[in-house]
Amino acid sequence: MLLACSLWIGLVASLLAVDRPPEVTSEKGMVVSVSPEASDAGLDILKQGGSAVDAAVAVALALAVTFPEAGNIGGGGFMMVWPANAKGSDQPAQPVCIEYRETCPAALKRDSFVNERRQEGHHTIGIPGTVAGLALAHEKCGKLKWAQVVAPAILLAHEGFHIDAALASALNRMAGSPTANFSEFRRVFTKPGGGEWQSGDRLIQRELAQTMKTLADDGPDSFYRGRIAEQIVAEMQAGGGFITREDLAGYRAHVRKPVSTSYRGYDIYAPPPPSAGGTQLMECLNILEQFDVNGLGPKSPQFVHVLVESMRRASCDRVRHMGDPDFTPIPVKLLSKDYAKQLSEQLDLSRATRSESLAPDITLTDEPPSTTHFSIVDGHCMAVANTYTLQNSYGSRVVVGGAGFLLNNEMTDFNWRPGVTTTRGQVGTEPNVMAPGKRMLSSQCPTLVSREGKLLLVTGSPGGRTIPSTVLGVVVNVIDFSLSAREAVDAPRWHHQWLPDRIQFERHPAPDYAELLRQLQQQGHLFSDDVKRLGDGYQRQGDAHTILIRHGVLHGAADWRRTVGKAAGW
Ligand code: DON
C-alpha cells in the first residue's frame, strides 16, 4: 500500500506544468481563495479580531469586486460553518449550513420556460440570496461590525486592483463582444479610454464601490428593501425581468441542518437540499466505505471502478429524487448506510454498469462554469467552507444599471420542460421543475470533515455537476490515501454524472495513465472526449481551495486550475 501511495504522490507531483502556489502553514488563521486580494482582505479581518465568519463575509464581498466571473452579491450559495470551540463544553461541535440559494420569482410557473432557449438575460435571474446569506451568517457568528467587514470591498472597488492575465482576457472577450444586449456590462467592464485590458491594469469600479457603501451604511436590508432593491427593480422593468419589489422583500436565507455521514471514523458535513451536492457526496462515501479503498490503491482500476460507479448511482438518485425540500420530499434512504450497502452489493465489480440500465427514462443536461469556493479557519478553530455562484461565468450578463454588479442566471438550474427528458441532455424530472418561491437544485458542496469532534478538513469547489466528484476526490485523498493538502488538491480528478455515460478524467489521455485507462475501457467504461482541453492538452476540473489541519497546524492549499489563488496564513 505504501508503495502504491508513493507512486501516486510521484504522479501527482509530475502533474501539469502550471505554476502552483505553495502550501502555506499557520497556527493562527488561514484564508484560501481564488483571489489574492480577497484572501488578504479575509486575513486582515482575522487580524482585526474577526471570526472566520467575519472573514468569510469580507472575502465574499471582496470576491464580488476582484473575481466578477463568480464572486457576487447578485447570486447565491451555501456556507458551512464550524462553530468555535465552546469553552468548557464537551458536547461535539454542531456545524450549520447557511443556505442562501436563489429563488424563483412569483410570476413564473412550472412551464413558463417550456419554449425558452436563451440561457442569459433578464428572464434567467433568480432572486439573489448572497447578501441575505452573508448577513444571516454575520448576525449568528460575527464579532466585528457589519460595516467593518464590508469595508475591504469598498476599498478594492473604489481604489481598484491590478487584474491578472485571466481576468484581462475574460473582460476583453466579454466586454468586446458585439452582442446588442448587455450594454451596461460593456459600459462597466470596457477599458476606460479604449483598447484591450492587459495583465497589471487597474480595474476601478466606482459604482460598485457606491453599492458596497450603501450596504455598509444602510445595512444588508438595503439590498432587499432599500436603495439597491429599487435599482434592481428598475433594471428588471427596463429589461423584461421577473423579479419584483415583493420578491426581493420576501427573500429569506435559512439556517439548515447539514447532511452528514461517518466515513472510516471521520465525520463529514455538507449542505442539505436544495443542494444535491452534499447528499451525493454522502451516498458516494457510504458506498466506498464498503470497499478497501486504501488497499486497492489510488491508481488501481478496481478503485477507479468503484469510485465512478458510486458517482453514477448518486447522480442518478439526484435526478430522480432531488429538488427544493420545501416543495418535494427527499427520500431519507439516500443517506442511509443500508441503502449504500445494498447498492454496493448490486455493483458488478468487473463491468461498468450502463447508466441507462439504472433509470432508462431520464437523462441530464450539461452545465457551464462558473462558481467559486473559499475556505477559512480562525484562531479559535471556527471554520467556514463557502461556495457561491452566479451560475455561468458573469451570470446573466446583466449588470444592474448604475449599481455596478452582476446578476445570476440561476433559473437555468431548474428543469425547464417538465416531463421532457431526452438523450440529448434535457431533464424534465418533477422534483426540480419551476414553481414560485422555489429554490432551484444545486450541486454546491462546501464540506467540513472532523474526527472525534476536532476539525480536520475544510474544502469545496466550483464546477457544476463535477462539484461533488471533486470534493469526494479531495476527501478520499486525505482520509484513504493520507495525502497532504497540496497533494490532495493537485491529484488528478475523476467525474461521472450518470448521463452522459462517460468518465471525465483530467489526465485523459495522458501516456502515464494509458494502462489504467485501457483496463477501465476493458471493463466497459467509456471516456469523455468532448471536453474543452487547455493549452497543455488536459481538461481541468474544479478549483478546490482547501485547508487541512494536522496536529493543530493549518495547511492551506490554493488550487491553481482556474487562476493562481492564494492561501493567506497568519
Ligand atoms: O449551484 C449549482 O449547482 C450550479 N449552478 C453551480 C455552477 C457551477 O459550479 C459552475 N462552475 N464552475
Side-chain angles (χ1 to χ4, degrees):
M1 204 293 297
L2 259 182
L3 177 66
C5 276
S6 52
L7 272 175
W8 178 244
I9 290 166
L11 283 164
V12 166
S14 69
L15 197 70
L16 314 176
V18 173
D19 276 348
R20 267 169 269 162
E23 181 174 304
V24 173
T25 56
S26 167
E27 291 180 21
K28 285 185 163 175
M30 178 79 67
V31 182
V32 194
S33 86
V34 70
S35 153
E37 294 82 5
S39 294
D40 289 342
L43 187 65
D44 200 44
I45 290 291
L46 293 182
K47 287 180 177 173
Q48 290 174 42
S51 68
V53 165
D54 287 316
V57 176
V59 171
L61 295 175
L63 284 169
V65 179
T66 62
F67 194 63
E69 169 181 338
N72 69 80
I73 52 174
F78 299 83
M79 180 188 289
M80 293 291 299
V81 181
W82 181 268
N85 292 337
K87 285 204 179 71
S89 160
D90 18 334
Q91 294 302 308
Q94 289 300 321
V96 295
C97 177
I98 307 289
E99 180 263 297
Y100 54 99
R101 183 66 163 162
E102 299 92 323
T103 300
C104 180
L108 294 169
K109 302 188 183 52
R110 59 184 273 119
D111 44 12
S112 296
F113 288 167
V114 166
N115 297 315
E116 180 59 70
R117 292 281 178 276
R118 295 164 305 149
Q119 301 276 308
E120 288 157 353
H122 290 77
H123 65 290
T124 63
I125 302 168
I127 307 163
T130 296
V131 173
L134 299 181
L136 181 60
H138 180 259
E139 181 193 311
K140 300 259 171 238
C141 308
K143 290 205 291 192
L144 303 184
K145 291 210 159 42
W146 171 256
Q148 206 172 338
V149 295
V150 183
I154 301 174
L155 194 68
L156 281 163
H158 193 266
E159 300 303 313
F161 65 100
H162 295 293
I163 64 175
D164 64 11
L167 181 52
S169 90
L171 292 182
N172 289 335
R173 198 175 57 247
M174 306 274 308
S177 139
T179 328
N181 299 320
F182 315 126
S183 54
E184 183 70 355
F185 184 101
R186 284 207 306 281
R187 186 181 72 77
V188 168
F189 289 115
T190 301
K191 185 169 171 165
E196 299 245 295
W197 288 104
Q198 308 291 336
S199 170
D201 284 349
R202 185 174 280 272
L203 174 61
I204 292 171
Q205 301 169 81
R206 290 274 153 81
E207 287 164 0
L208 180 56
Q210 180 52 54
T211 297
M212 293 291 181
K213 191 156 167 13
T214 304
L215 277 182
D217 295 347
D218 299 356
D221 216 34
S222 57
F223 192 94
Y224 295 98
R225 290 188 165 84
R227 178 189 153 104
I228 305 171
E230 290 308 319
Q231 289 173 305
I232 296 173
V233 170
E235 182 60 48
M236 291 294 124
Q237 287 167 354
F242 295 101
I243 298 174
T244 61
R245 200 167 275 115
E246 293 69 35
D247 284 329
L248 286 169
Y251 183 87
R252 297 285 177 276
H254 298 303
V255 178
R256 293 196 191 257
K257 186 172 185 286
V259 289
S260 63
T261 195
S262 62
Y263 181 69
R264 304 191 202 285
Y266 294 83
D267 296 306
I268 324 287
Y269 303 91
S275 182
T279 303
Q280 287 176 254
L281 175 68
M282 304 307 153
E283 191 174 329
C284 289
L285 288 169
N286 288 341
I287 293 174
L288 287 180
E289 204 177 33
Q290 304 297 319
F291 299 93
D292 178 13
V293 165
N294 176 293
L296 293 174
K299 220 192 153 189
S300 68
Q302 293 87 348
F303 163 64
V304 179
H305 178 71
V306 293
L307 182 78
V308 299
E309 291 299 336
S310 74
M311 292 170 179
R312 189 196 306 272
R313 281 157 181 77
S315 298
C316 180
D317 277 339
R318 166 210 172 113
V319 170
R320 192 180 282 297
H321 294 297
M322 298 195 71
D324 182 339
D326 296 340
F327 285 72
T328 187
I330 314 289
V332 285
K333 74 167 185 183
L334 299 185
L335 295 168
S336 108
K337 294 274 185 196
D338 284 347
Y339 176 60
K341 190 158 185 294
Q342 195 187 320
L343 289 180
S344 64
E345 283 164 1
Q346 288 162 1
L347 203 155
D348 183 339
L349 292 178
S350 60
R351 293 297 300 166
T353 307
R354 285 279 71 81
S355 288
E356 288 84 342
S357 74
L358 292 178
D361 51 326
I362 39 182
T363 190
L364 287 175
T365 48
D366 289 334
E367 197 160 4
S370 187
T371 302
T372 191
H373 171 85
F374 59 82
S375 297
I376 300 178
V377 180
D378 68 19
H380 302 279
C381 221
M382 175 181 273
V384 167
N386 186 88
T387 311
Y388 71 155
T389 188
L390 288 167
Q391 169 68 333
N392 281 18
S393 289
Y394 303 95
S396 60
R397 313 279 166 95
V398 173
V399 173
V400 175
F405 70 92
L406 278 152
L407 290 165
N408 68 84
N409 64 332
E410 216 70 56
M411 291 298 289
T412 60
D413 262 354
F414 277 119
N415 299 348
W416 280 12
R417 291 169 199 89
V420 180
T421 58
T422 72
T423 49
R424 299 190 55 176
Q426 281 184 43
V427 186
T429 49
E430 201 57 31
N432 189 36
V433 298
M434 266 159 43
K438 185 174 177 179
R439 314 283 226 229
M440 59 294 286
L441 189 62
S442 169
S443 302
Q444 291 170 72
C445 192
T447 296
L448 303 169
V449 178
S450 65
R451 188 177 176 103
E452 292 168 356
K454 289 215 162 56
L455 185 65
L456 175 84
L457 182 69
V458 186
T459 192
S461 178
R465 290 210 175 85
T466 66
I467 291 173
S469 305
T470 298
V471 174
L472 178 65
V474 173
V475 170
V476 166
N477 285 335
V478 168
I479 294 180
D480 289 291
F481 302 130
S482 306
L483 298 193
S484 68
R486 182 72 276 150
E487 291 157 352
V489 168
D490 290 352
R493 293 176 180 156
W494 300 91
H495 172 64
H496 199 296
Q497 61 176 42
W498 175 58
L499 285 175
D501 188 350
R502 297 274 185 276
I503 294 178
Q504 265 177 241
F505 177 50
E506 280 191 318
R507 296 281 281 158
H508 179 239
D512 44 352
Y513 285 89
E515 182 52 23
L516 172 61
L517 300 179
R518 194 190 60 74
Q519 286 173 308
L520 288 165
Q521 273 161 341
Q522 249 179 8
Q523 285 182 297
H525 289 288
L526 307 167
F527 280 84
S528 187
D529 277 322
D530 55 348
V531 291
K532 192 172 147 223
R533 297 201 182 279
L534 300 167
D536 48 25
Y538 303 119
Q539 62 178 315
R540 298 201 184 123
Q541 178 179 311
D543 203 36
H545 302 290
T546 296
I547 301 173
L548 178 62
I549 306 163
R550 290 230 199 260
H551 311 298
V553 178
L554 311 173
H555 298 258
D559 207 332
W560 38 267
R561 286 169 172 81
R562 295 259 163 115
T563 178
V564 183
K566 179 171 177 179
W570 179 20

